[in-house]
Amino acid sequence: MRSKRIFHTVESHTEGMPTRVVTGGVGTFPGATMEERRQWFIANSDHLRRLLMFEPRGHSAMSGAILQPPIRPDADWGVVYIEVSGCLPMCGHGTIGVATVLVETGMVEVTEPVTTIRLDTPAGLVVCEVAVRDGAAESVTIRNVPAYTDRLDAKVDVPGWGTVTYDLAYGGNFYAILDAGQLDLRVDVAQKDQLLAAGLAIMDAINEHDAPVHPENPEINVCHHVQLVDPGSDARRSRHAMAIHPGWFDRSPCGTGTSARMAQLFTRGELPLDTDFVNESLIGSRFVARLVGESSVGTLPAVIPTVTGRAWLTGTAQYFLDPTDPFPEGFLL
């Protein structure tokens, strides 16, 4: 066996969506904050993301997280989130996966019935409350970074789809949110090709004509997620298809997307604080979430979301890079 690099991972999935947790083989990235580490990684080591997320080691909907020592003194671990679409500021399903991995591999001190894990993420501090029984993580509730509404009832001309009305909210990433019914679509696996085509066209149009910019971090300045909501969804229970750049669906209900959806519903006066909200994915998996307080992001009003979901470990792995491998950074079809 020949290998230039060896990466150690713990594999998991959160409500159907994979999180490949990288536990060794990458070292500590430079930076005074986790956001600086994320930017350093993008500029200097993004080939590692492509190697681990793209085929043949990954696939077109692969997602992962790289563990780092924390920078904040009040955090237990640092995390850099990676997926096919890029290097994210925050990932809800990935955080649930990371917390489950940390508990079930003994990488944190485990207490029952609840183990608290504080994660230093590029988007800010995220607190995870892991429900533990007999050493196993049964569910994870994350207290996410503040979520806010960027715009309501915005319109954009989308080639092939006409003028589309959408809301845009932030829950760790930016999300365009719209009723799929205005496109004559339902959230059904049978219509997945049309849903994906519409979502990608809408995000391209938004980024071309009115790309969002985070008021406190101008590096967060793109919409790579479109939440196509099934007609009949409401502030108690919502079903959606989450189209993601460059062309795939979130299999989970999407933690940061759920946070953004609740911010949108709160702004519209439809979802009060301390009220359960059930968010369902295209494959039928669910998160239960709620808003537990108000905050601000820059000068904008914001809310504090919590999201509860489950993750399962699926294996451990070591990935190699043979010096003669013709795809040292993988490939994406």
Side-chain angles (χ1 to χ4, degrees):
M1 180 188 73
R2 300 170 300 178
S3 183
K4 294 167 60 178
R5 300 289 298 267
I6 300 177
F7 304 96
H8 303 267
T9 70
V10 181
E11 309 289 317
S12 69
H13 80 85
T14 303
E15 301 292 353
M17 186 66 195
T19 307
R20 173 168 291 162
V21 181
V22 182
T23 59
V26 295
T28 302
F29 308 140
T33 65
M34 289 306 300
E35 173 60 16
E36 287 187 9
R37 286 182 177 176
R38 182 177 82 97
Q39 293 300 330
W40 182 90
F41 181 86
I42 292 170
N44 297 277
S45 289
D46 198 52
H47 59 281
L48 299 182
R49 175 186 67 85
R50 296 190 293 268
L51 175 73
L52 292 168
M53 297 292 101
F54 289 5
E55 295 182 63
R57 296 165 186 84
H59 52 74
S60 60
M62 194 65 204
S63 183
I66 301 174
L67 294 182
Q68 293 281 286
I71 295 172
R72 298 175 60 118
D74 56 351
D76 302 300
W77 282 91
V79 186
V80 172
Y81 300 100
I82 55 176
E83 64 178 31
V84 169
S85 64
C87 189
L88 303 181
M90 172 55 188
C91 178
H93 96 268
T95 299
I96 292 170
V98 165
T100 301
V101 166
L102 290 174
V103 165
E104 297 201 356
T105 59
M107 296 178 73
V108 294
E109 183 177 350
V110 178
T111 59
E112 297 189 20
V114 176
T115 297
T116 301
I117 303 172
R118 301 169 68 86
L119 295 179
D120 192 357
T121 82
L125 183 70
V126 176
V127 179
C128 309
E129 300 286 343
V130 186
V132 182
R133 184 167 64 177
D134 297 329
E138 294 192 320
S139 67
V140 180
T141 298
I142 65 171
R143 184 182 177 97
N144 198 6
V145 298
Y148 71 92
T149 299
D150 181 274
R151 64 193 75 157
L152 295 177
D153 297 317
K155 296 185 183 297
V156 64
D157 291 327
V158 182
W161 298 93
T163 300
V164 172
T165 301
Y166 70 98
D167 298 340
L168 193 137
Y170 176 86
N173 301 288
F174 282 113
Y175 292 84
I177 305 168
L178 63 142
D179 191 317
Q182 70 173 293
L183 307 172
D184 295 323
L185 295 173
R186 295 296 304 265
V187 176
D188 190 306
V189 173
Q191 294 192 356
K192 62 182 177 64
D193 292 340
Q194 300 99 305
L195 289 163
L196 186 59
L200 295 176
I202 291 165
M203 74 177 70
D204 285 347
I206 291 171
N207 288 323
E208 180 179 355
H209 298 292
D210 194 10
V213 179
H214 192 279
E216 295 180 337
N217 184 353
E219 298 293 339
I220 304 174
N221 55 15
V222 69
C223 175
H224 273 169
H225 302 77
V226 174
Q227 193 167 162
L228 297 153
V229 179
D230 198 41
S233 297
D234 57 28
R236 290 286 184 172
R237 178 183 173 276
S238 185
R239 176 175 167 82
H240 69 277
M242 185 67 75
I244 304 178
H245 172 83
W248 52 285
F249 290 111
D250 197 328
R251 276 66 171 161
S252 83
C254 188
T256 52
T258 297
S259 300
R261 174 80 161 124
M262 289 195 294
Q264 173 226 18
L265 291 169
F266 180 84
T267 303
R268 288 192 169 277
E270 298 176 22
L271 179 65
L273 298 179
D274 301 313
T275 303
D276 279 354
F277 170 67
V278 177
N279 206 19
E280 186 174 313
S281 74
L282 179 60
I283 65 170
S285 54
R286 295 181 176 185
F287 286 156
V288 179
R290 58 172 45 203
L291 300 174
V292 297
E294 297 185 57
S295 183
S296 61
V297 177
T299 61
L300 299 175
V303 285
I304 304 297
T306 64
V307 180
T308 301
R310 304 167 300 169
W312 294 265
L313 271 60
T314 58
T316 60
Q318 291 181 324
Y319 292 96
F320 306 122
L321 176 57
D322 188 294
T324 64
D325 191 327
F327 304 110
E329 297 184 19
F331 61 89
L332 189 64
L333 291 178

